[in-house]
Amino acid sequence: ELITVLKGSCSNCLLSLVTVGAAQAAIILIGAAITDFPALMLIFLITFTCSFIPIIGAAPIGFVLGLWRLMNGEVGQGLFLFLIACFAGIIDNILKPILVKRTVNLDGVLTLISIIGAILVFDLPGLFIGPVVATTAAHYFYKGKD
């Protein structure tokens, strides 16, 4: 039973990371497309890759694109990209707890705390360790309370 729970927790954790990364990259991509940036596929791939890096995430890519527009004198487009970058950074804190919570009926705040705590303790592996440990523990803790 433990292996089944761990297997489900691991696959759910990986799926949530990929989904959130794709959502953040899509948000930055839409902002870049609206402001007429070339090489949109490259922007998507870099943003998607950076979304897996704790603390940094996908938002700095949007900030760099916005800074590029500001340095070229396009203030409106630069500020728009700054807003898009902020939204892409925040969406991680909204989507990840919702997606991780699907495996076990776990409180969203507890899920967010387990993700943040594990990242602080374990760095990059904490993205995987925190949700897996929290959902596995919650499964056994709440097992008889459904």
Side-chain angles (χ1 to χ4, degrees), residues 14-142:
L14 186 61
L15 181 65
S16 69
L17 286 173
V18 171
T19 303
V20 169
Q24 287 179 317
I27 290 168
I28 298 294
L29 178 72
I30 290 169
I34 290 172
T35 56
D36 295 327
F37 264 97
L40 294 176
M41 185 56 80
L42 181 63
I43 291 171
F44 180 85
L45 290 174
I46 291 172
T47 307
F48 182 72
T49 304
C50 287
S51 71
F52 294 109
I53 302 172
I55 310 297
I56 296 174
I61 305 303
F63 287 127
V64 167
L65 295 175
L67 187 61
W68 181 269
R69 289 295 186 206
L70 285 176
M71 289 173 41
N72 288 331
E74 299 165 345
V75 177
Q77 290 183 353
L79 294 176
F80 174 73
L81 285 167
F82 283 156
L83 289 174
I84 290 291
C86 289
F87 180 68
I90 291 171
I91 200 75
D92 180 37
N93 297 330
I94 296 169
L95 278 181
K96 197 173 289 178
I98 292 170
L99 293 172
V100 170
K101 182 179 163 176
R102 290 184 319 168
T103 303
V104 176
N105 191 10
L106 189 62
D107 185 32
V109 174
L110 184 59
T111 305
L112 182 62
I113 289 171
S114 72
I115 292 169
I116 292 172
I119 288 172
L120 291 174
V121 173
F122 297 110
D123 223 12
L124 184 60
L127 283 171
F128 302 103
I129 294 170
V132 170
V133 169
T135 55
T136 304
H139 174 76
Y140 283 104
F141 184 71
Y142 293 118

